[in-house]
Amino acid sequence: MGTGEPDGERRARHNGLVRRRVTAGLLVGAGLVVLGTVFVVLPRMVVEHDLAGVDVTAQDRLKATNDVRTTLVQVVGGLVLLFGAYATWRQLRVNQDGLRATQEGYVTDRFSRAVDQLGSDKLDVRIGGLHALWRIAEQSARDREAIISIQAAYLRTHLPWPPTGPETPAADVHINDIPPLETRAADAQVALTALGVLCRQREQSWVNLSITDLRRADCDGLWFPEVNFDRACMEAAGLYHANLTQASLVSVNLRHADLTTAVLRRARCIVADLRGAKLVRTDLRDADFTETDLREANLRKADAHGAVFHRADLRMADLRGTDLSTADLAGARLSGALASEHTRWPADFDPTAAGVVDTADPGPEPSPLLQPPGMTWQAPPLRSAP
């Protein structure tokens, strides 16, 4: 019994091989004909055309023909190089597209896993998910806005105000009995810190952190421009050197908050509670403090150019060295507020008639490195009535 392949298949394969060889031979022959035409016939035709019947020696004719051939070789070589460069560029683009698709798939997978971790019952898993999202936002600009929104939503849902969870300090607990946010809700502090870092590079405006419980939160040096903190509780929060430019702080509780050297330019602090807050050397230019309670607040050396204090309560506030020269103090209450020779008032304002107490300037401010951070500082009792 034969073990070879059938005769029909063998003949078909043989015929196919013959056809391929014949085709290759024809292509090679055609190529040789083209090359012969280009490098043998064409140079002669060009020389004859250029000479136009002029009688030249055979040596000059040969030299002219060789010059044409040299030029043709350079042209063909240039075309080959150009084609090679184009092919390389195309291959590079294909490789880049493939790499980009692979990276996007990898980022999407990491994003999905990190979001899943946020729903875990374990604190360390949630913190790991928040850090993973933070890392993705720093590496992927197209995912940054979505991650900022996720972090803001995480804070709103995990830290509502007033508090509702059994493990969260009640709203009426004294601020000195409340531990820092990083202690009582470490995952929320991570989300807040990441948000304050990523907001430096965000493209969209207005991040919503309204009605959140941020008591004794650590926000030192973080960026929250155009962030909505309306009706949030940020009592005794550390906001040293924080950027709150154009932030919305309507009806926010910032009692005893440390806003030293912070930036609140054009911020809306309407009907807010800043009793006992530290606003030393704070940038308050063009901020709106209409009907805000600033009793016992420390505004020493603050820049309040163009700030609005319509019907604001500044009784017993420390205004020594504060620049209020272009501030709007219409209806403001200033009885018992402290001022010094370095306090600058509007040209038509009489501080004595308003009940301001003139006292000595305190001199240079102490270094913040020598003071306890705002989120652990023990707030003294307020002398002013609720």
Side-chain angles (χ1 to χ4, degrees):
M1 185 165 67
T3 57
E5 58 185 342
D7 292 341
E9 293 183 5
R10 189 162 47 247
R11 283 194 299 270
R13 190 175 63 176
H14 175 73
N15 293 336
L17 181 60
V18 171
R19 284 195 297 270
R20 286 194 293 273
R21 289 178 177 176
V22 171
T23 302
L26 291 174
L27 290 175
V28 171
L32 292 175
V33 170
V34 172
L35 290 175
T37 303
V38 171
F39 292 106
V40 178
V41 179
L42 184 59
R44 294 177 180 175
M45 295 174 61
V46 171
V47 170
E48 292 296 335
H49 178 271
D50 291 343
L51 292 177
V54 178
D55 187 18
V56 296
T57 64
Q59 184 177 0
D60 292 339
R61 187 182 298 274
L62 179 60
K63 182 179 182 304
T65 303
N66 290 334
D67 290 342
V68 174
R69 287 171 180 158
T70 301
T71 303
L72 289 174
V73 169
Q74 292 174 346
V75 170
V76 172
L79 292 174
V80 171
L81 289 176
L82 183 61
F83 177 78
Y86 173 75
T88 303
W89 175 79
R90 287 287 301 173
Q91 186 61 41
L92 182 61
R93 286 293 302 273
V94 171
N95 294 340
Q96 288 177 339
D97 292 342
L99 179 61
R100 188 178 300 109
T102 302
Q103 290 175 337
E104 289 180 357
Y106 176 62
V107 169
T108 301
D109 184 56
R110 289 173 57 199
F111 187 95
S112 300
R113 290 203 308 268
V115 172
D116 290 339
Q117 287 178 275
L118 300 186
S120 174
D121 295 332
K122 298 180 179 180
L123 176 63
D124 55 344
V125 175
R126 296 198 301 273
I127 292 176
L130 289 166
H131 275 289
L133 287 174
W134 188 353
R135 182 76 176 272
I136 293 170
E138 290 179 334
Q139 297 175 342
S140 176
R142 63 182 300 179
D143 296 309
R144 187 174 300 131
E145 300 299 328
I147 290 174
I148 288 175
S149 297
I150 290 172
Q151 291 166 337
Y154 187 88
L155 289 167
R156 292 196 307 272
T157 55
H158 285 72
L159 294 176
W161 180 260
T164 56
E167 299 179 358
T168 306
D172 57 353
V173 175
H174 193 275
I175 191 60
N176 289 340
D177 297 326
I178 295 176
L181 181 61
E182 61 184 5
T183 300
R184 62 184 173 91
D187 53 339
Q189 180 62 67
V190 170
L192 184 63
T193 303
L195 192 65
V197 173
L198 296 176
C199 278
R200 282 175 173 262
Q201 301 174 323
R202 81 176 193 266
E203 298 177 357
Q204 298 179 1
S205 61
W206 292 113
V207 176
N208 185 13
L209 286 179
S210 62
I211 324 178
T212 50
D213 180 8
L214 299 175
R215 290 173 290 178
R216 289 198 179 276
D218 183 4
C219 304
D220 290 351
L222 299 181
W223 281 52
F224 297 110
E226 297 184 349
V227 173
N228 180 3
F229 288 104
D230 292 352
R231 291 178 291 162
C233 184
M234 304 178 72
E235 189 173 2
L239 289 154
Y240 171 78
H241 208 58
N243 189 327
L244 294 160
T245 302
Q246 288 188 235
S248 184
L249 299 160
V250 177
S251 299
V252 70
N253 181 351
L254 280 164
R255 284 195 301 266
H256 301 295
D258 185 3
L259 290 145
T260 302
T261 69
V263 180
L264 277 78
R265 291 195 64 181
R266 299 186 299 278
R268 297 177 66 246
C269 300
I270 301 172
V271 201
D273 186 353
L274 278 84
R275 283 178 291 166
K278 294 176 65 177
L279 296 106
V280 179
R281 290 182 294 159
T282 303
D283 185 351
L284 306 176
R285 287 175 292 176
D286 301 313
D288 189 353
F289 293 94
T290 299
E291 297 186 7
T292 290
D293 193 342
L294 286 154
R295 286 176 290 174
E296 302 181 57
N298 185 351
L299 289 87
R300 288 199 302 264
K301 300 178 177 62
D303 185 354
H305 268 276
V308 177
F309 293 96
H310 282 170
R311 299 181 299 280
D313 195 341
L314 288 156
R315 289 176 292 174
M316 294 180 284
D318 192 343
L319 302 174
R320 288 176 290 180
T322 306
D323 189 349
L324 296 161
S325 56
T326 57
D328 187 345
L329 297 172
R333 290 180 286 177
L334 289 151
S335 177
L338 301 180
S340 70
E341 59 180 341
H342 298 296
T343 303
R344 299 181 61 187
W345 300 100
D348 57 348
F349 184 78
D350 185 357
T352 303
V356 175
V357 178
D358 195 17
T359 185
D361 192 84
E365 298 296 328
S367 170
L369 299 177
L370 303 178
Q371 304 176 46
M375 66 279 187
T376 59
W377 175 62
Q378 294 295 298
L382 292 169
R383 293 173 292 164
S384 53

